[in-house]
Amino acid sequence: MKSKMIFKLGSVLSLVVFYIALLICVLEALEHISHLWFADSGWPGILGTFEPIFSYVDIHFKQHPDLYQSKSYIALSFVNSISAMLLTTMFAWYMHRLLRNIYRDSLFMNENVPVFYRLGISIIVLGTLFNYTEGVMLSQAIGELQITNASISLTDISYVDSLISGFILMVIASALKIAVRAVEENKNTI
């Protein structure tokens, strides 16, 4: 009985994360749109200067680099942040559905198979897009650093993680599909 409540609580928490991530996604989109297409208006001034967010590194320039004013770099940051937030919202939504289904019935239901497939595809597409664009942004930002007596190059293949994770979820979905058929056959024979 306690495990059922854990699934229900997880479902509710996933739904809360979904709505919060959706709100953040809208705010991120508004910020990037204002810096891309309304840079001459007063709106970007209210939001402050453009500072991209990187997952693994904090880069603080003493002077705001010209790179951060580049429309192509802001567009790359836009794609990066939207793909990350869409992945977060989709993951939270699919986890809500999965945990709700487990709470109501069980894991071995036909409704859970497409959840795993869609989650795998979302991670492959959006996760790979996020990791790849972040690597490109980070490489360009590191290129702006003034380093003497050394050079830094970034070889980033972290997007492979999301490809592998997505394919693993799709394999799990295929295995779950077979297990669901076996459970349904077992119910029908008894």
Side-chain angles (χ1 to χ4, degrees):
M1 191 65 169
K2 286 184 179 182
S3 63
K4 286 260 188 191
M5 292 308 296
I6 290 172
F7 291 126
K8 184 173 184 167
L9 179 64
S11 174
V12 170
L13 285 175
S14 295
L15 195 59
V16 168
V17 168
F18 170 77
Y19 286 117
I20 291 171
L22 196 61
L23 176 66
I24 292 171
C25 188
V26 169
L27 294 175
E28 283 282 329
L30 287 174
E31 177 189 15
H32 281 86
I33 288 170
S34 70
H35 284 288
L36 273 173
W37 291 294
F38 303 109
D40 297 332
S41 70
W43 181 247
I46 295 170
L47 298 173
T49 59
F50 175 72
E51 290 285 334
I53 298 173
F54 305 107
S55 297
Y56 303 111
V57 177
D58 283 338
I59 299 178
H60 300 285
F61 290 99
K62 292 179 182 174
Q63 293 178 334
H64 206 271
D66 292 336
L67 176 68
Y68 288 0
Q69 301 299 323
S70 168
K71 297 279 187 191
S72 63
Y73 193 79
I74 295 171
L76 189 63
S77 175
F78 180 53
V79 169
N80 180 267
S81 62
I82 293 301
S83 63
M85 294 314 301
L86 284 177
L87 178 62
T88 304
T89 56
M90 292 176 82
F91 181 81
W93 178 253
Y94 290 135
M95 286 307 295
H96 161 69
R97 287 184 53 200
L98 178 68
L99 294 172
R100 184 189 63 195
N101 289 342
I102 293 172
Y103 169 73
R104 289 183 180 166
D105 192 11
S106 86
L107 174 65
F108 301 103
M109 344 177 4
N110 277 325
E111 290 84 4
N112 289 339
V113 173
V115 169
F116 277 102
Y117 276 120
R118 290 177 185 146
L119 189 56
I121 290 169
S122 299
I123 289 175
I124 287 172
V125 173
L126 294 172
T128 303
L129 180 64
F130 165 71
N131 286 320
Y132 179 75
T133 56
E134 183 175 57
V136 170
M137 287 174 53
L138 191 55
S139 292
Q140 289 179 3
I142 287 175
E144 292 289 313
L145 295 174
Q146 306 241 338
I147 299 173
T148 57
N149 199 22
S151 65
I152 295 177
S153 64
L154 177 70
T155 55
D156 186 27
I157 59 168
S158 63
Y159 58 88
V160 174
D161 294 344
S162 54
L163 285 172
I164 292 170
S165 301
F167 285 123
I168 288 172
L169 279 172
M170 293 177 79
V171 168
I172 290 171
S174 298
L176 183 63
K177 187 176 185 178
I178 294 168
V180 166
R181 275 194 227 135
V183 167
E184 286 178 357
E185 286 177 12
N186 192 22
K187 285 180 184 177
N188 291 336
T189 56
I190 295 177

